[in-house]
Amino acid sequence: MEISEYDFDLPQTIGLPRLFAIGFGGGDYGAIITELLGCLEQNKRDAAALFDLGTILMLNGKRQEGLDCQLDALRLSPLFRQRATGAAEPPLRLLMIAVPGDFMANTPVQFLLEDAGVRLDTLYVSPDGGLPDHIPPHDVLLVGIGESDESAPILKTLQPVLDRWPRPVLNRPADVLKLARERLAATLRPGRGLDVPVTVRVDRAMLELLADGRIQPADILGEGAYPIIARPVGSHAGHGLSKLDTPAAIRAYLQTQKGEDFSISRFVDYRDADGLFRKFRIVLVGGQPLLAHVAIGAHWMLHYLNAGMAESTAKRAEEAALMAAFNLGFAARHREALADLASLAGLDYFAVDCAETSEGKLLVFETDTAMIVHDMDPPDLYPYKHPQMTRIFKAFRKMLHARAHKAHARDSLIAASGLRQMVGREPLSR
């Protein structure tokens, strides 16, 4: 396996931002579907058309059909290209390593690259983590694979290969693996001003013991008491997530769940004095914290889409104020905690869903490299969002260019000094 010095053609997809925006804005996919089907009539091996159709199917709630279509595309080509938009010439070349899956499987970096002058090539690796014989030329490599039970073996396989990669590598696999729910408290525990509830994976039999009152939450977690939070292993977006206040509540919860594996943690009541909960999504780019959104609502299980932000002028006004004052307000109050969060995670780019506790600590719910950060909210309702998203996108672009420039400067220095043979990198191999 080698990195090519010369570019080669790759299937070009429509791009996740454009397809997402159609559905997000209530549009219709009919014209694009007709166009893609026409491409496949002319060429049944049009991998890009198949891939885009898979994306559209998943966006319309047909997850399995979309994944099947995606796999058909990947059998034809493991590599896809999203051309650079923006003024940069020549564009910076970013290669992302990804795995087959839905929108939570990989870093949705495409949203960060709108008009960034960055060409994105995405390489989908096989389940064994093997890489193809030829890799397209690139300036920076991003490990886009999100942490999950399914991806963990692939990330472990990739780590030794990327340890000697001759280009800058962002989000090294070993650091991505530290984001697992069950490892997060241990990863971040040394942090100052951080509250990271311990999460433990349990089976149904262990929950039965809790439901019978034969053991207590602290016997499993080593901290806290009732209430606890329970969720099926591998679930996202609140599916199967419940607050359980008593053993009887655990018994009732088990009657609604068919799975065998769950994770539990102590519940933290993070509501403010006005009775509302506020959940912050913060993006850390090269260690710099930037606010992506604030969900404000009356229920503890809070997500931006269920917070009623679009229906409340007052909530949007508060979110706008929090964004405007972020560096002097939230980020200043939690400067040490955010710095420790970035340092202990060790990642170049990731997002954290968090809140403030009544004791003034930064309460960490989840950290992930695959959280969607976008600029699709309607500007008439959210006029403050576009400038904020632009700050995030510029920070990401600046980080990419800085890492690429540093590597190019080093290579130029080595070449100019005649030390190439002495400093030559170990050949890449599978």
Side-chain angles (χ1 to χ4, degrees), residues 278-290:
R278 289 166 176 83
K279 190 174 183 180
F280 297 73
R281 175 162 294 181
I282 296 173
V283 179
L284 289 106
V285 183
Q288 177 187 1
L290 297 140

mmCIF file with all atom_site columns, all heavy atoms in Angstrom, residues 278-290:
data_model
loop_
_atom_site.group_PDB
_atom_site.id
_atom_site.type_symbol
_atom_site.label_atom_id
_atom_site.label_alt_id
_atom_site.label_comp_id
_atom_site.label_asym_id
_atom_site.label_entity_id
_atom_site.label_seq_id
_atom_site.pdbx_PDB_ins_code
_atom_site.Cartn_x
_atom_site.Cartn_y
_atom_site.Cartn_z
_atom_site.occupancy
_atom_site.B_iso_or_equiv
_atom_site.pdbx_formal_charge
_atom_site.auth_seq_id
_atom_site.auth_comp_id
_atom_site.auth_asym_id
_atom_site.auth_atom_id
_atom_site.pdbx_PDB_model_num
ATOM 1   N N   . ARG A 1 278 ? -30.741 23.371 30.515 1.00 0.00 ? 278 ARG A N   1
ATOM 2   C CA  . ARG A 1 278 ? -29.985 23.949 29.410 1.00 0.00 ? 278 ARG A CA  1
ATOM 3   C C   . ARG A 1 278 ? -28.830 23.015 29.052 1.00 0.00 ? 278 ARG A C   1
ATOM 4   O O   . ARG A 1 278 ? -27.982 22.735 29.885 1.00 0.00 ? 278 ARG A O   1
ATOM 5   C CB  . ARG A 1 278 ? -29.470 25.339 29.786 1.00 0.00 ? 278 ARG A CB  1
ATOM 6   C CG  . ARG A 1 278 ? -30.577 26.379 29.853 1.00 0.00 ? 278 ARG A CG  1
ATOM 7   C CD  . ARG A 1 278 ? -30.167 27.666 30.525 1.00 0.00 ? 278 ARG A CD  1
ATOM 8   N NE  . ARG A 1 278 ? -31.238 28.646 30.459 1.00 0.00 ? 278 ARG A NE  1
ATOM 9   C CZ  . ARG A 1 278 ? -32.274 28.690 31.317 1.00 0.00 ? 278 ARG A CZ  1
ATOM 10  N NH1 . ARG A 1 278 ? -32.342 27.810 32.315 1.00 0.00 ? 278 ARG A NH1 1
ATOM 11  N NH2 . ARG A 1 278 ? -33.221 29.590 31.180 1.00 0.00 ? 278 ARG A NH2 1
ATOM 12  N N   . LYS A 1 279 ? -28.850 22.555 27.816 1.00 0.00 ? 279 LYS A N   1
ATOM 13  C CA  . LYS A 1 279 ? -27.850 21.596 27.342 1.00 0.00 ? 279 LYS A CA  1
ATOM 14  C C   . LYS A 1 279 ? -27.039 22.245 26.221 1.00 0.00 ? 279 LYS A C   1
ATOM 15  O O   . LYS A 1 279 ? -27.596 22.688 25.213 1.00 0.00 ? 279 LYS A O   1
ATOM 16  C CB  . LYS A 1 279 ? -28.540 20.328 26.837 1.00 0.00 ? 279 LYS A CB  1
ATOM 17  C CG  . LYS A 1 279 ? -27.619 19.164 26.532 1.00 0.00 ? 279 LYS A CG  1
ATOM 18  C CD  . LYS A 1 279 ? -28.471 17.949 26.190 1.00 0.00 ? 279 LYS A CD  1
ATOM 19  C CE  . LYS A 1 279 ? -27.629 16.702 25.951 1.00 0.00 ? 279 LYS A CE  1
ATOM 20  N NZ  . LYS A 1 279 ? -28.475 15.541 25.610 1.00 0.00 ? 279 LYS A NZ  1
ATOM 21  N N   . PHE A 1 280 ? -25.737 22.316 26.414 1.00 0.00 ? 280 PHE A N   1
ATOM 22  C CA  . PHE A 1 280 ? -24.831 22.988 25.491 1.00 0.00 ? 280 PHE A CA  1
ATOM 23  C C   . PHE A 1 280 ? -24.109 21.961 24.618 1.00 0.00 ? 280 PHE A C   1
ATOM 24  O O   . PHE A 1 280 ? -23.637 20.948 25.128 1.00 0.00 ? 280 PHE A O   1
ATOM 25  C CB  . PHE A 1 280 ? -23.774 23.786 26.267 1.00 0.00 ? 280 PHE A CB  1
ATOM 26  C CG  . PHE A 1 280 ? -24.317 24.906 27.104 1.00 0.00 ? 280 PHE A CG  1
ATOM 27  C CD1 . PHE A 1 280 ? -25.015 24.650 28.278 1.00 0.00 ? 280 PHE A CD1 1
ATOM 28  C CD2 . PHE A 1 280 ? -24.125 26.231 26.728 1.00 0.00 ? 280 PHE A CD2 1
ATOM 29  C CE1 . PHE A 1 280 ? -25.515 25.683 29.070 1.00 0.00 ? 280 PHE A CE1 1
ATOM 30  C CE2 . PHE A 1 280 ? -24.609 27.273 27.506 1.00 0.00 ? 280 PHE A CE2 1
ATOM 31  C CZ  . PHE A 1 280 ? -25.302 27.002 28.675 1.00 0.00 ? 280 PHE A CZ  1
ATOM 32  N N   . ARG A 1 281 ? -24.035 22.245 23.324 1.00 0.00 ? 281 ARG A N   1
ATOM 33  C CA  . ARG A 1 281 ? -23.158 21.471 22.443 1.00 0.00 ? 281 ARG A CA  1
ATOM 34  C C   . ARG A 1 281 ? -21.974 22.352 22.096 1.00 0.00 ? 281 ARG A C   1
ATOM 35  O O   . ARG A 1 281 ? -22.121 23.389 21.445 1.00 0.00 ? 281 ARG A O   1
ATOM 36  C CB  . ARG A 1 281 ? -23.857 20.992 21.183 1.00 0.00 ? 281 ARG A CB  1
ATOM 37  C CG  . ARG A 1 281 ? -22.907 20.291 20.194 1.00 0.00 ? 281 ARG A CG  1
ATOM 38  C CD  . ARG A 1 281 ? -23.631 19.456 19.171 1.00 0.00 ? 281 ARG A CD  1
ATOM 39  N NE  . ARG A 1 281 ? -24.308 18.319 19.801 1.00 0.00 ? 281 ARG A NE  1
ATOM 40  C CZ  . ARG A 1 281 ? -25.017 17.404 19.142 1.00 0.00 ? 281 ARG A CZ  1
ATOM 41  N NH1 . ARG A 1 281 ? -25.127 17.486 17.815 1.00 0.00 ? 281 ARG A NH1 1
ATOM 42  N NH2 . ARG A 1 281 ? -25.608 16.417 19.781 1.00 0.00 ? 281 ARG A NH2 1
ATOM 43  N N   . ILE A 1 282 ? -20.809 21.926 22.554 1.00 0.00 ? 282 ILE A N   1
ATOM 44  C CA  . ILE A 1 282 ? -19.583 22.681 22.342 1.00 0.00 ? 282 ILE A CA  1
ATOM 45  C C   . ILE A 1 282 ? -18.652 21.872 21.453 1.00 0.00 ? 282 ILE A C   1
ATOM 46  O O   . ILE A 1 282 ? -18.462 20.668 21.653 1.00 0.00 ? 282 ILE A O   1
ATOM 47  C CB  . ILE A 1 282 ? -18.906 22.994 23.689 1.00 0.00 ? 282 ILE A CB  1
ATOM 48  C CG1 . ILE A 1 282 ? -19.817 23.908 24.524 1.00 0.00 ? 282 ILE A CG1 1
ATOM 49  C CG2 . ILE A 1 282 ? -17.545 23.650 23.488 1.00 0.00 ? 282 ILE A CG2 1
ATOM 50  C CD1 . ILE A 1 282 ? -19.334 24.139 25.933 1.00 0.00 ? 282 ILE A CD1 1
ATOM 51  N N   . VAL A 1 283 ? -18.111 22.533 20.446 1.00 0.00 ? 283 VAL A N   1
ATOM 52  C CA  . VAL A 1 283 ? -17.143 21.920 19.546 1.00 0.00 ? 283 VAL A CA  1
ATOM 53  C C   . VAL A 1 283 ? -15.748 22.359 19.982 1.00 0.00 ? 283 VAL A C   1
ATOM 54  O O   . VAL A 1 283 ? -15.524 23.542 20.262 1.00 0.00 ? 283 VAL A O   1
ATOM 55  C CB  . VAL A 1 283 ? -17.404 22.346 18.092 1.00 0.00 ? 283 VAL A CB  1
ATOM 56  C CG1 . VAL A 1 283 ? -16.374 21.723 17.161 1.00 0.00 ? 283 VAL A CG1 1
ATOM 57  C CG2 . VAL A 1 283 ? -18.808 21.952 17.661 1.00 0.00 ? 283 VAL A CG2 1
ATOM 58  N N   . LEU A 1 284 ? -14.823 21.414 20.068 1.00 0.00 ? 284 LEU A N   1
ATOM 59  C CA  . LEU A 1 284 ? -13.446 21.735 20.388 1.00 0.00 ? 284 LEU A CA  1
ATOM 60  C C   . LEU A 1 284 ? -12.583 21.468 19.165 1.00 0.00 ? 284 LEU A C   1
ATOM 61  O O   . LEU A 1 284 ? -12.462 20.324 18.715 1.00 0.00 ? 284 LEU A O   1
ATOM 62  C CB  . LEU A 1 284 ? -12.954 20.939 21.596 1.00 0.00 ? 284 LEU A CB  1
ATOM 63  C CG  . LEU A 1 284 ? -13.604 21.420 22.907 1.00 0.00 ? 284 LEU A CG  1
ATOM 64  C CD1 . LEU A 1 284 ? -14.646 20.415 23.383 1.00 0.00 ? 284 LEU A CD1 1
ATOM 65  C CD2 . LEU A 1 284 ? -12.567 21.664 23.986 1.00 0.00 ? 284 LEU A CD2 1
ATOM 66  N N   . VAL A 1 285 ? -12.032 22.540 18.610 1.00 0.00 ? 285 VAL A N   1
ATOM 67  C CA  . VAL A 1 285 ? -11.231 22.481 17.393 1.00 0.00 ? 285 VAL A CA  1
ATOM 68  C C   . VAL A 1 285 ? -9.798  22.831 17.761 1.00 0.00 ? 285 VAL A C   1
ATOM 69  O O   . VAL A 1 285 ? -9.508  23.984 18.113 1.00 0.00 ? 285 VAL A O   1
ATOM 70  C CB  . VAL A 1 285 ? -11.757 23.457 16.327 1.00 0.00 ? 285 VAL A CB  1
ATOM 71  C CG1 . VAL A 1 285 ? -10.949 23.316 15.035 1.00 0.00 ? 285 VAL A CG1 1
ATOM 72  C CG2 . VAL A 1 285 ? -13.238 23.226 16.056 1.00 0.00 ? 285 VAL A CG2 1
ATOM 73  N N   . GLY A 1 286 ? -8.923  21.844 17.725 1.00 0.00 ? 286 GLY A N   1
ATOM 74  C CA  . GLY A 1 286 ? -7.560  22.093 18.146 1.00 0.00 ? 286 GLY A CA  1
ATOM 75  C C   . GLY A 1 286 ? -7.477  22.619 19.563 1.00 0.00 ? 286 GLY A C   1
ATOM 76  O O   . GLY A 1 286 ? -6.593  23.408 19.897 1.00 0.00 ? 286 GLY A O   1
ATOM 77  N N   . GLY A 1 287 ? -8.406  22.187 20.411 1.00 0.00 ? 287 GLY A N   1
ATOM 78  C CA  . GLY A 1 287 ? -8.452  22.620 21.799 1.00 0.00 ? 287 GLY A CA  1
ATOM 79  C C   . GLY A 1 287 ? -9.265  23.876 22.041 1.00 0.00 ? 287 GLY A C   1
ATOM 80  O O   . GLY A 1 287 ? -9.538  24.217 23.196 1.00 0.00 ? 287 GLY A O   1
ATOM 81  N N   . GLN A 1 288 ? -9.664  24.571 20.985 1.00 0.00 ? 288 GLN A N   1
ATOM 82  C CA  . GLN A 1 288 ? -10.444 25.809 21.132 1.00 0.00 ? 288 GLN A CA  1
ATOM 83  C C   . GLN A 1 288 ? -11.934 25.484 21.253 1.00 0.00 ? 288 GLN A C   1
ATOM 84  O O   . GLN A 1 288 ? -12.504 24.866 20.364 1.00 0.00 ? 288 GLN A O   1
ATOM 85  C CB  . GLN A 1 288 ? -10.213 26.726 19.928 1.00 0.00 ? 288 GLN A CB  1
ATOM 86  C CG  . GLN A 1 288 ? -11.047 28.011 19.965 1.00 0.00 ? 288 GLN A CG  1
ATOM 87  C CD  . GLN A 1 288 ? -10.936 28.822 18.686 1.00 0.00 ? 288 GLN A CD  1
ATOM 88  O OE1 . GLN A 1 288 ? -10.246 28.426 17.749 1.00 0.00 ? 288 GLN A OE1 1
ATOM 89  N NE2 . GLN A 1 288 ? -11.639 29.942 18.630 1.00 0.00 ? 288 GLN A NE2 1
ATOM 90  N N   . PRO A 1 289 ? -12.593 25.913 22.361 1.00 0.00 ? 289 PRO A N   1
ATOM 91  C CA  . PRO A 1 289 ? -14.028 25.636 22.503 1.00 0.00 ? 289 PRO A CA  1
ATOM 92  C C   . PRO A 1 289 ? -14.877 26.657 21.754 1.00 0.00 ? 289 PRO A C   1
ATOM 93  O O   . PRO A 1 289 ? -14.640 27.868 21.837 1.00 0.00 ? 289 PRO A O   1
ATOM 94  C CB  . PRO A 1 289 ? -14.253 25.745 24.018 1.00 0.00 ? 289 PRO A CB  1
ATOM 95  C CG  . PRO A 1 289 ? -13.208 26.707 24.488 1.00 0.00 ? 289 PRO A CG  1
ATOM 96  C CD  . PRO A 1 289 ? -12.020 26.523 23.571 1.00 0.00 ? 289 PRO A CD  1
ATOM 97  N N   . LEU A 1 290 ? -15.863 26.160 21.022 1.00 0.00 ? 290 LEU A N   1
ATOM 98  C CA  . LEU A 1 290 ? -16.791 27.007 20.263 1.00 0.00 ? 290 LEU A CA  1
ATOM 99  C C   . LEU A 1 290 ? -18.200 26.460 20.471 1.00 0.00 ? 290 LEU A C   1
ATOM 100 O O   . LEU A 1 290 ? -18.423 25.262 20.394 1.00 0.00 ? 290 LEU A O   1
ATOM 101 C CB  . LEU A 1 290 ? -16.428 27.016 18.783 1.00 0.00 ? 290 LEU A CB  1
ATOM 102 C CG  . LEU A 1 290 ? -15.049 27.598 18.439 1.00 0.00 ? 290 LEU A CG  1
ATOM 103 C CD1 . LEU A 1 290 ? -14.380 26.793 17.353 1.00 0.00 ? 290 LEU A CD1 1
ATOM 104 C CD2 . LEU A 1 290 ? -15.188 29.050 18.015 1.00 0.00 ? 290 LEU A CD2 1
#
